Every structure is written in structure tokens, then in C-alpha cells.
Amino acid sequence: MDIRIKKTKESITNAFLELRSRKPLEKITVKELCEKAMINKSTFYSHYTDVYDLSEQLENEVVEAVLSNMSEQSGSQSSDYVTELFHALLSYDHLIKILFSGDRQGRLLSVLKPQLQKLFLPLYQEHSDNPEKAAILLNFCINGCYYAFMENRSYGDEFVIQVLSEINDTIVSML
């Protein structure tokens, strides 16, 4: 990538994250973003269609980074996957809190879930002679673990991750 394009995109991203950390996505205008990034509107539009496009691209980049971070470290046990997934999410916690706040909160799971299903389904199916049951239990684990983690972080991230890993192992044993 051309260094000028890279610097421009970094400037846009940094300005967007700063604005997004203070206000909802729907309140951010292209004009104020361009002023903050010190670029022309035409430069912005040469890279993105609008602030929603920019937000979605950044959200997708974070999800890809989480998954690549996770897949490099995961073991073969389902509890290893759960532990590594949440540690990977925690490594991007600051960005996740900014990008997926407000009305965008549910988008993290909707973007992450199909990727997790591809990653975890073979692990679940290898323990099951019933692929439908494995798919249902996996869906339950993904949704349940995500919401249980988000709702119970006050107990401490590591403790919640440990409990979710144990629950996941119990579910896998049901297969």
C-alpha cells in the first residue's frame, strides 16, 4: 500500500475513534471527521462511502484480528478455544468498547458468530454422531458465553472465562 494512502487511512481511523469514543455513530458527520483528520471530504469519499462504511470496515478488521490472534494460540480442547477466544477479545477490548457501543453493541456477535461456527463446528461434530445436536449446542455456547461474559465481567474477566470454559466442557460432554 502506498505510504500516503496508509497515512491518510490512519489519520481517518484515529479521528474516527476519537470521535466515536465520545459520541454515537449516527451523530458523527463526514465534515467533522474530515476536519479532525485534516483531510478533504473528497479524500474521505475516495476510501469510504460514509461513516457507517468506515465503521463497518473497522469493526470487521477488529473481528479478523481477534480470530487470527485466537487461531494461532488455541489448543485442541474446547475449553482451550473458549479461553483463547475471550483472551483474544480482551486484547482488543478498548477498540471493541468504542466500535461496538450504543446501537452497534449487537453487531459484534453477529459478525463474530458465523466465523466462530466455522471454527468450532468441526470440534463439536467430532464429539457427536448427531450434527444437528452439535450445531444447536454450539449455537447455545456461542450466544450464551458471549452474553454471560458481557453481563458478568464485574466478577473479574479471568474468573468468568474459567467458569465459561468449564460450562463449555460440560456441554461438549453432552455430545
Side-chain angles (χ1 to χ4, degrees):
M1 181 185 299
D2 183 326
I3 189 79
R4 291 171 295 170
I5 293 172
K6 185 177 179 180
K7 286 184 176 188
T8 299
K9 284 192 164 196
E10 284 177 9
S11 178
I12 293 169
T13 298
N14 291 337
F16 177 77
L17 290 173
E18 186 179 328
L19 290 169
R20 186 68 178 91
S21 69
R22 293 186 281 122
K23 54 172 51 175
L25 179 60
E26 58 275 3
K27 299 286 185 184
I28 298 172
T29 65
V30 171
K31 181 182 179 200
E32 81 176 314
L33 178 61
C34 291
E35 287 172 1
K36 190 128 198 86
M38 295 186 285
I39 60 167
N40 293 319
K41 284 170 68 172
S42 61
T43 303
F44 175 84
Y45 286 117
S46 69
H47 299 287
Y48 309 100
T49 56
D50 55 23
V51 292
Y52 292 95
D53 179 39
L54 168 60
S55 185
E56 283 181 22
Q57 286 187 37
L58 293 174
E59 291 165 359
N60 290 336
E61 286 175 19
V62 168
V63 168
E64 287 173 22
V66 165
L67 291 172
S68 69
N69 187 9
M70 192 200 123
S71 62
E72 293 170 5
Q73 300 174 24
S74 297
S76 59
Q77 298 277 48
S78 61
S79 59
D80 292 339
Y81 280 105
V82 171
T83 300
E84 292 306 322
L85 170 62
F86 283 104
H87 284 138
L89 285 167
L90 286 173
S91 67
Y92 292 92
D93 197 38
H94 180 68
L95 283 174
I96 289 170
K97 284 179 179 176
I98 293 171
L99 291 171
F100 296 98
S101 64
D103 290 347
R104 309 291 284 183
Q105 193 170 24
R107 183 155 156 64
L108 176 60
L109 186 58
S110 69
V111 174
L112 193 57
K113 188 174 170 181
Q115 303 299 323
L116 293 176
Q117 287 172 325
K118 284 182 205 171
L119 186 63
F120 289 154
L121 195 55
L123 179 67
Y124 274 65
Q125 286 178 336
E126 83 180 33
H127 295 288
S128 176
D129 55 359
N130 184 334
E132 292 84 8
K133 183 178 180 180
I136 292 168
L137 287 173
L138 175 59
N139 193 31
F140 177 82
C141 285
I142 291 171
N143 287 301
C145 282
Y146 174 77
Y147 288 109
F149 180 77
M150 297 307 273
E151 293 291 322
N152 293 290
R153 291 185 76 178
S154 62
Y155 296 120
D157 291 341
E158 291 302 320
F159 176 72
V160 176
I161 292 169
Q162 177 188 350
V163 171
L164 294 175
S165 293
E166 291 170 7
I167 291 169
N168 190 70
D169 282 344
T170 302
I171 290 172
V172 169
S173 72
M174 293 173 60
L175 293 168

